[in-house]
Amino acid sequence: MTAVPAKGSLPDAARDAGVGSTARVPLADYLAGVLRGLRPLPPLDLEITAAHGNVLAEDVVGPGPVPAFDHASIDGYAARFDDISDAQPGRPVRLSVVGDLVASSWRPVRLTPGTCFSVAAGALMPVSADVVVPSGMTDQGMAAVEVYHPAKRGHGVRRAGDELPAGAVLARAGAYVTPPLVSVLAASGIGHVVVRPSPRVVVIATGDELVDVGRASQPGQVVDANSHALTAAAAEAGAHAYRVGICDDDPEGLRGLLDDQMLRADLIITTGGTGTGPGDMVRRILSRTVVFSDLSVYPCSSLGYGNYGGPNGVPIVCLPGDPGAALIGFEVLARPVIQLLAGADPVFRPSVRAHLLETVSSPSGMREFRPAYITERRGGGYTVAPLAGGPYTLSGLADANGLMVLGEKVISAAAGSTVDVILLDRRR
């Protein structure tokens, strides 16, 4: 179920945009080259409960109205408004109660003048009834009832199609199937929908120095935080995420692991080894199929992207080894790839403009993604407070609900100025 890269996909499209050249590549150009070469995963038909969390591959049109028939929305007495319009506390209107209707009642019944039915919420409305009088406005009689107050015409009644008419578009292609949407689909009589499957994402950490969690870092050993964090990030983005674990700096071991994971992956993410140092094995091993690019992005300036296994292989994203830089790299590259494979529209997180609460500096010529905490102001608009960035990005991200974006030409942003902030929804 791996996505089939489009004609002109990386590495060709990336090189056309300047990716892989010695000059730093603008992020917008880089992402355009990557995303242009991908297509969403092939659609499949799923039962609506199983489809929850997936993205619709086509519009869903309601076959009938919602509600499907006129029914009582409250408990009370179904009556004719003309019969109760003169009711007053001192001069109640007396109606004969000719029957009881519950939600499971299905036979149509008709009211005659001077009569009513006792009804439960959800019950089919009698023909000619146009109001449900709440029990609290009556003496709650059984054979006959006295109405003390005249409820307005239409009170307590839901008409067929009040919420959604027949033929209404219930959801558009690209929308996520949420619990409320599942309810709407079921209420409309729809049991199956066509969706894009959630991408299967495999996460691999590389490096001889890595050790698994449960111990403290020592000289020559670094705890593998990345594969855990990136697996969680992929799951948060809507993927079926699998953490493979740690791969040593063994070329044959890495190739064998990647070959094995191709069978179950729609996207492979590696972390570590993307630099040009003597220990950066990933760049050396994958340089024939992955384009490693120096981007004008801070703190994640080196990213790799390609198709492992040839032009029709599995997309692979190679992120740096620093945990903070890896998570920023995931946000700017891996997450949009996951969203595109899933068929989501849009593929990028929403952003807002916010007033900066304190002055910050930023590296010249780099687009910085800085952890931040954004707050909505009572009178409208947003304020944003910068959190730890640069080498401390990881700790800043732990408290962040947004990413402040400072452009390549910004070396200082003064308190009170307006900046772009990407909203991080940690609930998804």
Side-chain angles (χ1 to χ4, degrees):
M1 201 151 52
T2 299
V4 177
K7 185 177 180 180
S9 60
L10 278 176
D12 293 337
R15 293 194 177 107
D16 290 344
V19 175
S21 64
T22 55
R24 290 200 178 274
V25 182
L27 180 61
D29 294 342
Y30 180 80
L31 286 176
V34 170
L35 300 181
R36 185 170 59 243
L38 287 171
R39 295 291 181 267
L41 298 174
L44 71 162
D45 185 280
L46 288 181
E47 187 269 333
I48 56 173
T49 305
H52 169 248
N54 293 91
V55 173
L56 291 171
E58 57 187 34
D59 293 350
V60 181
V61 177
V66 177
F69 53 87
D70 296 352
H71 68 271
S73 62
I74 60 174
D75 297 335
Y77 297 88
R80 299 168 65 249
F81 176 76
D82 291 342
D83 288 338
I84 66 166
S85 60
D86 294 332
Q88 298 178 24
R91 295 192 331 187
V93 171
R94 187 177 179 84
L95 302 175
S96 297
V97 181
V98 295
D100 299 324
L101 300 175
V102 296
S104 60
S105 301
W106 58 274
R107 291 183 183 275
V109 294
R110 179 180 293 274
L111 276 182
T112 57
T115 66
C116 67
F117 278 87
S118 173
V119 294
L124 175 69
M125 285 292 291
V127 177
S128 77
D130 56 5
V131 64
V132 176
V133 182
S135 299
M137 293 184 178
T138 73
D139 66 353
Q140 303 182 29
M142 299 179 65
V145 63
E146 290 189 346
V147 179
Y148 300 127
H149 300 280
K152 293 182 179 180
R153 192 189 304 272
H155 181 79
V157 180
R158 291 194 67 198
R159 297 296 183 186
D162 266 358
E163 187 161 1
L164 295 167
V169 177
L170 306 181
R172 296 287 185 184
Y176 276 95
V177 180
T178 62
L181 180 56
V182 170
S183 182
V184 169
L185 296 172
S188 303
I190 296 173
H192 289 75
V193 288
V194 179
V195 299
R196 304 285 180 182
S198 297
R200 301 164 300 172
V201 177
V202 168
V203 179
I204 304 170
T206 65
D208 286 339
E209 75 281 9
L210 296 181
V211 295
D212 216 336
V213 296
R215 65 179 76 180
S217 294
Q218 301 178 24
Q221 294 183 337
V222 176
V223 174
D224 170 30
N226 288 15
S227 67
H228 295 278
L230 294 172
T231 303
E236 183 186 71
H240 292 305
Y242 306 95
R243 176 184 174 268
V244 174
I246 300 169
C247 179
D248 295 334
D249 289 331
D250 172 25
E252 294 306 314
L254 177 60
R255 291 191 187 98
L257 182 58
L258 292 173
D259 290 342
D260 290 341
Q261 297 305 316
M262 282 184 65
L263 300 175
R264 69 164 179 171
D266 299 307
L267 172 67
I268 296 173
I269 298 176
T270 69
T271 174
T274 61
T276 57
D280 291 316
M281 180 264 299
V282 171
R283 182 185 283 249
R284 296 199 310 273
I285 298 305
L286 299 181
S287 59
R288 291 187 178 181
T289 56
V290 174
V291 176
F292 289 88
S293 307
D294 292 326
L295 307 179
S296 56
V297 175
Y298 183 79
C300 176
S301 60
S302 180
L303 293 174
Y305 181 83
N307 294 302
Y308 186 78
N312 295 322
V314 178
I316 182 170
V317 169
C318 299
L319 301 176
D322 175 78
L327 284 171
I328 295 296
F330 179 91
E331 283 294 329
V332 302
L333 175 58
R335 193 178 193 280
V337 169
I338 291 172
Q339 296 297 297
L340 193 151
L341 292 176
D345 183 21
V347 299
F348 298 107
R349 290 189 189 268
S351 63
V352 297
R353 300 279 288 172
H355 291 279
L356 189 57
L357 293 179
E358 60 185 81
T359 300
V360 294
S361 59
S362 184
S364 176
M366 305 291 280
R367 178 170 292 267
E368 181 180 7
F369 291 83
R370 177 82 171 263
Y373 195 87
I374 186 168
T375 304
E376 189 171 3
R377 295 191 298 193
R378 180 174 297 180
Y382 298 88
T383 60
V384 61
L387 299 174
Y392 309 107
T393 295
L394 181 61
S395 59
L397 284 172
D399 296 323
N401 63 357
L403 285 177
M404 185 170 59
V405 184
L406 302 172
E408 289 87 346
K409 296 181 179 180
V410 176
I411 58 176
S412 179
S417 60
T418 303
V419 295
D420 291 312
V421 182
I422 299 171
L423 302 180
L424 301 178
D425 185 358
R426 296 306 190 190
R427 295 170 297 176
R428 171 150 183 78

